[in-house]
Amino acid sequence: MDPIKTTRKGAILQVTLDRPKANAIDLVTSRLMGEVFADFRDDPELRVAILTGGGEKFFCPGWDLKAAAEGDAVDGDYGVGGFGGLQELRGLNKPVIAAINGIACGGGLELALSSDMILAAEHASFALPEIRSGTVADAASVKLPKRIPYHIAMELLLTGRWFDAVEAKHWGLVNEIVPAGDLMDRAWALAEMLASGPPLVYAAIKEIVRDAEDAKFQDAMNRITRRQLETVDRLYGSEDQLEGARAFAEKRDPVWKGR
């Protein structure tokens, strides 16, 4: 059975990790996910992706320890986008929504952190339990202290404790908490809103955010104003840039063409 299911509707791609019993990711699954997200990145007709898990209990518990026990190396070939196809995928300048339908722990939580927006079902739960198995939540150790207060991030990393959707929202880890039965409808509604927006602007936003993460403010601003970022240069010379200004002046909705 294919562990990755995709549903395409218009400019939106839903990617479902469906690998019973728990949607854990082995090397083969990770490489498949990388191919799916690289294709999403490179397809000019696709604008937004939704990532979710199959079933109602697990989003993803991360690394498949059973596969590891059978020989999958923890530092093996995860594929083009790194673990889960998202964490290290270069040039992904389109919005990705994670719809957390259950347990998201370890690498599963790291996968969610690689998205741009996170919706959580009411029963979703989270943890970074790597410490208990003698390893490190590497991507979370990099990302989490930049997303939430340092001391909270360190508590979660150092203790591996579980926390629920309410606490996740309190710390700003998730955007919304949604009843389980409404999760995917809400994810699609959000995706449709984003898909109707300006793709060149989204691309510029994502590249600016990545580029500026460790830069000084003025250095980042100089790179933008001098059009040294590819997406910014493309945006500033685009038809869409003119269309946005004309639509505003003419008091109408803009028609984005992505060029």
Side-chain angles (χ1 to χ4, degrees), residues 160-256:
R161 72 171 177 86
W162 287 87
F163 56 104
D164 61 15
V166 173
E167 183 176 356
K169 188 168 191 308
H170 174 75
W171 297 123
L173 269 180
V174 305
N175 297 82
E176 298 178 32
I177 301 173
V178 184
D182 299 331
L183 179 65
M184 296 315 300
D185 285 344
R186 177 61 186 132
W188 273 89
L190 180 57
E192 287 166 357
M193 182 191 73
L194 293 173
S196 69
L200 297 185
V201 177
Y202 293 158
I205 289 170
K206 290 201 65 170
E207 186 174 22
I208 288 169
V209 169
R210 284 198 310 271
D211 186 74
E213 188 171 21
D214 296 313
K216 293 180 180 179
F217 174 79
Q218 195 58 56
D219 290 341
M221 289 301 299
N222 289 343
R223 283 175 57 76
I224 296 167
T225 56
R226 294 169 186 169
R227 294 171 65 158
Q228 293 174 341
L229 301 179
E230 180 182 352
T231 56
V232 173
D233 184 56
R234 184 182 179 198
L235 171 65
Y236 286 173
S238 68
E239 292 180 30
D240 277 3
Q241 179 84 30
L242 293 173
E243 168 64 8
R246 287 171 180 157
F248 179 81
E250 296 168 7
K251 298 181 180 180
R252 59 173 175 81
D253 292 332
V255 179
W256 307 118

Side-chain angles (χ1 to χ4, degrees), residues 25-40:
I25 297 175
D26 63 359
L27 290 178
V28 171
T29 302
S30 182
R31 289 194 289 266
L32 288 172
M33 294 177 75
E35 292 171 7
V36 168
F37 282 110
D39 288 345
F40 162 71

Side-chain angles (χ1 to χ4, degrees), residues 44-59:
E45 301 301 317
L46 288 172
R47 295 189 178 185
V48 184
I50 301 168
L51 173 62
T52 193
E56 298 178 353
K57 186 175 181 180
F58 289 96
F59 171 72

